[in-house]
Amino acid sequence: MTGPLDGGAHDGRDPDEPAAFLRIPAPRTAPDDMTEQERGRTPEQRQAPRAPRAPGQREAAEQREAAEQREAAEQREAAEQREAAEARQAAEPFQVPEPPQVSEAAEVPEVPEATAMAEARETPPVAEPLSHKVLMSLLGAWALSACSAEETALVEAHLTECAPCADEALRLRDAVGLLHADGNLDLDPLLRSRVLENALGRRPARVPVPGWAAPYDAETARLDALLRDIGDAEWHAPVRLKWYEEKGTVSRRTTVAGVIGHLMTVDGLVATSLGLDDPLGADAPAHPTERTEGFWRAAKPPPTRTIHEPWREQSHTLIRTVSFAGRGVAELSVSYGFFALPLRDALLDRAFECWVHGADIAEAVHYPYKPPSSGHLHEMIDLATRLLPAALAIRRRSGLAAPARELVTAGSPGRSLHLEIEGAGGGDWFIALDSPAAVGSRERSVAQVALDGVEFCQLVAGRVSPEDAAAGQDGDREAIRDVLFAAATMSRL
């Protein structure tokens, strides 16, 4: 098909031009857009093809026109929006904004940081409660006054509610008092005996020490603690031993080591009565003074602290032996040469001498040393009062005491002296005056003497003379004098 698409009208295209390259006619110009030259032309003239323009110029012109149209449209739209906004503002009256209403259910706004800091400065901090474990761990610091004010308040409030912590706090405060004490820091010599007594009270020993041997066990333990606490040089410290004889006080100078040697040799008399080895050998004398003098002469050079261990081992052996021996051993006789005592009284006598010489050593080395316990002191006083009638009879035979006035049969009450012991270990004893075989009686008392328990023991040990004994006296003065001097002559080296 070669004819034109508009039914035969020819648009000036080459008839031989392929149909695939048909030219689209340009849009007709609107009347308003026509120039004066175009308006003067006829429609046929206007339809006539114009002179072709360069393709680059036409596209550039179209782009400029489109850009100008868009810019003009945007300016008109912006102007219309400004005018609408001004019209709305002019139509609405001015209103004051109301504060926002906060409902009860609404969340309270947070306090500003500055206000919170000011309130924190004005309000004291409230300490948070601590657990029982933490408060218990603070008791030591509280006792030392090392807690802060808040911790102190919490601890003291807790102590009013918790009895165990209150008891612990009191014990810690007492301990702090010991730390700040100005007194002697040496251990109490009675500490070991108290610990042993408490331990045995909670769990008795499988083979318990007999009650009559307990004073010896306690006094040797106390002396052992003293000896362990002194230095090598103090074993050579001078010690003066004193006792009372017929004509007055006698003394002998030795050392700490010499005193322990004396105790060991006399304890050997008890050891031999139990079948144990004598520390001085089989041929040693039986008199206590002779045994001691022989030991001191044979000790070349003088004894040192090496004597401590043999004495200690011997005392332990004596306690073990009597503990395993059974009940009958208590009445076993122990010979002192010129007199004899049953084993129970012999060990009590050795406990008394251990205390007396322990006090001598303590005085020489400036060590604190207390008297025995009240119960043991009472037993020692009782032994001395049982031996007093025999000592009085010995003085009477020597002409140093008044003759007997009323002799009675053995076991009958006779003239007596009422000995009243005050203080620790105290009690009342009645001493037969005319015969050791007589029985002391309150009804037959002709005199009364009052003495402190420790002072009476010092009189018996020869540490206090009869003239210096501060005794309250009443009744027969002659009987009182004879008894006080007889008590002093029971002392020996």
Side-chain angles (χ1 to χ4, degrees), residues 33 75 102 110 119 122 150 153-154 190 237 257 281 302-303 308 330 343-344 346 353 413 441 448 453 470 474:
D33 297 333
Q75 292 177 355
V102 180
E110 296 183 358
E119 292 182 357
E122 297 175 359
E150 293 79 5
L154 291 172
L190 292 175
H308 179 202
L343 181 59
R344 63 165 64 242
E353 190 166 355
S441 170
Q448 181 175 355
D474 183 37

Side-chain angles (χ1 to χ4, degrees), residues 5 26 43 111 174 198 209 212 302 315 378 421 457 463:
L5 295 176
V111 180
D174 292 340
N198 185 46
V209 177
W212 49 268
S315 63
H378 182 88
I421 301 299
C457 290
R463 300 312 189 262

